[in-house]
């Protein structure tokens, strides 16, 4: 079979409907229990043959195009799995970046999952589901989720997945403050705030244990959550380690009204919707 010359993939974002930090693991990571949910916001990645060193081009200047980009790490892993020598070459990846960076929406991880699949196809590597999952988990804790999509429970580092029945579709208002949050840093803030947090989870109504820690540094987070609830969101929370805050709405008109109300000079507001697993599989070609 002739190798494909060019592959295009949609890489969808996620939100975390809830996120519990259960403790610190011996490997330094945090033990989590979280519910991932796909949303209809996606980067588009095109993988094409092009002579020369492996290259990433991205239309967002804030997006790294070197080894800091998880697509780069995916390329190195798949190149190795293909038993090729030296460094990856003869492929250029173009990323049309629509998922905000350092927002807790999984953009980098979703791009990496798309890259694992596309590059395995381009370089003719057959990966078992288990090998693919292991490569993904090594690149980042939430990368394996992007092989599932829809509503799914993540345990362990967030990489042990149990698909859940898809939730009732909802409209999603995503507010993205004018700053990003590094995941590593956010977990560090959780460590610092741990003592204060004990006994508060559940009583203060937070569904994301990282929210208190991140809002400690960035008070706007709690203000955005409160504003989304005031606008009628039936659930509002930080997504992952932030900085994005989302609100869920049953009716589109309410979500639209909230988007207008939440608009601000220092932040982006995106109106989107949840997508279920069958839709995710179809659109992301997983
Ligand atoms: O795996 P990933 O690269 O997404 O994680 C980034 C950082 O977030 C890790 O280096 C770790 O410090 C922190 N993290 C954690 N516990 C998790 C996931 C991430 O402490 N379950």
């Amino acid at each position: 079979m002739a190798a494909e010359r060019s592959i295009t993939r949609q890489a969808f974002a996620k939100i975390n409907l809830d996120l519990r930090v259960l403790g610190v693991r011996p490997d330094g990571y945090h033990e989590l229990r979280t519910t991932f949910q796909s949303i209809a916001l996606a980067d588009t990645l095109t993988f094409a043959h092009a002579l020369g060193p492996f290259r990433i081009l991205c239309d967002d200047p804030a997006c790294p195009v070197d080894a800091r980009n998880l697509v780069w790490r995916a390329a190195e892993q798949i190149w190795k799995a293909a038993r090729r020598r030296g460094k990856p070459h003869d492929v250029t990846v173009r990323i049309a970046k629509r998922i905000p960076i350092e927002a807790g929406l999984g953009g980098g991880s979703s791009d990496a999952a798309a890259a694992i699949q596309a590059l395995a196809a381009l370089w003719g590597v057959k990966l078992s589901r288990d090998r693919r999952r292991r490569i993904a988990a090594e690149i980042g804790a939430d990368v394996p989720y992007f092989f599932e999509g829809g509503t799914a429970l993540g345990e362990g580092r967030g990489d042990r997945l149990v698909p859940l029945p898809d939730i009732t579709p909802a409209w999603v208002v995503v507010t993205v403050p004018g700053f990003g949050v590094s995941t590593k840093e956010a977990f560090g803030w959780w460590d610092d705030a741990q003592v204060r947090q004990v006994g508060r989870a559940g009583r203060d109504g937070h569904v994301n244990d990282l929210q208190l820690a991140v809002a400690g540094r960035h008070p706007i987070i709690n203000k955005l959550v409160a504003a989304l609830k005031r606008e009628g969101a039936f659930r509002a929370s930080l997504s992952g380690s932030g900085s994005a805050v989302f609100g869920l709405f049953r009716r589109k008109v309410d979500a639209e009204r909230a988007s207008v109300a939440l608009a601000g000079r220092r932040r982006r507001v995106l109106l989107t919707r949840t997508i279920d697993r069958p839709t995710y599989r179809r659109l992301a070609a997983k």
Side-chain angles (χ1 to χ4, degrees):
M1 196 180 78
E4 293 173 75
R5 304 296 297 171
S6 165
I7 295 177
T8 299
R9 284 273 182 282
Q10 297 268 94
F12 286 88
K14 59 82 178 162
I15 53 177
N16 298 79
L17 296 177
D18 52 38
L19 190 157
R20 291 287 173 230
V21 185
L22 305 175
V24 184
R25 297 155 49 104
D27 63 6
Y29 271 74
H30 292 73
E31 186 72 17
L32 303 183
R33 184 178 300 128
T34 185
T35 309
F36 293 109
Q37 174 62 53
S38 304
I39 57 173
L41 168 68
D43 294 340
T44 302
L45 290 85
T46 305
F47 303 82
H49 277 284
L51 289 180
F54 179 78
R55 268 207 313 168
I56 299 174
L57 303 173
C58 185
D59 61 359
D60 179 345
C63 173
V65 292
D66 53 20
R68 289 170 297 167
N69 193 309
L70 299 188
V71 166
W72 190 283
R73 309 245 305 270
E76 287 182 331
Q77 293 285 335
I78 302 304
W79 188 257
K80 223 166 47 185
R83 297 173 175 280
R84 300 201 182 196
R85 273 189 308 217
K87 294 202 175 302
H89 56 79
D90 295 348
V91 167
T92 293
V93 185
R94 286 188 171 72
I95 307 176
K97 196 102 205 83
R98 298 297 169 267
I99 307 173
I101 292 167
E102 285 206 318
L105 300 170
S109 297
S110 189
D111 291 356
I116 289 172
Q117 290 176 310
L119 293 173
L122 276 178
W123 292 334
V125 194
K126 276 241 171 302
L127 295 174
S128 66
R129 274 179 67 89
D130 190 54
R131 177 109 191 266
R132 192 179 73 168
R133 205 203 66 78
R134 268 187 285 121
I135 290 174
E138 210 175 295
I139 294 170
D142 60 2
V143 179
Y145 161 71
F146 293 96
F147 296 135
E148 300 291 335
T151 311
L153 179 68
E155 294 178 304
R157 295 186 308 145
D159 56 343
R160 234 176 39 230
L161 293 158
V162 183
L164 297 175
D166 283 303
I167 61 160
T168 305
W171 291 93
V172 187
V173 174
V174 183
T175 61
V176 189
F179 56 86
V181 171
S182 119
T183 303
K184 195 179 169 65
E185 228 177 359
F187 278 103
W189 297 335
W190 182 88
D191 292 339
D192 297 343
Q194 211 187 149
V195 178
R196 284 186 286 126
Q197 260 183 348
V198 168
R200 288 186 64 174
R203 257 191 292 144
D204 58 12
H206 286 128
V207 294
N208 181 338
D209 286 343
L210 292 175
Q211 189 174 304
L212 205 61
V214 175
R217 306 291 162 133
H218 299 291
I220 183 72
I221 298 297
N222 283 341
K223 290 192 184 132
L224 291 171
V225 171
L228 284 161
K229 285 187 178 159
R230 244 185 353 257
E231 292 300 321
F234 65 86
R235 174 173 294 209
S237 163
L238 187 73
S239 183
S241 55
S243 59
V245 171
F246 69 86
L248 299 185
F249 295 82
R250 287 277 167 243
R251 299 191 315 165
K252 188 178 186 184
V253 282
D254 297 331
E256 281 170 340
R257 191 176 313 120
S259 308
V260 173
L262 268 288
R265 259 185 303 117
R266 288 201 207 85
R267 59 179 168 266
R268 288 164 70 185
V269 179
L270 308 167
L271 174 58
T272 182
R273 55 195 305 179
T274 58
I275 48 177
D276 61 19
R277 190 169 301 110
T279 308
Y280 181 88
R281 295 267 164 105
R282 186 163 45 81
L283 298 179
K286 294 280 150 78

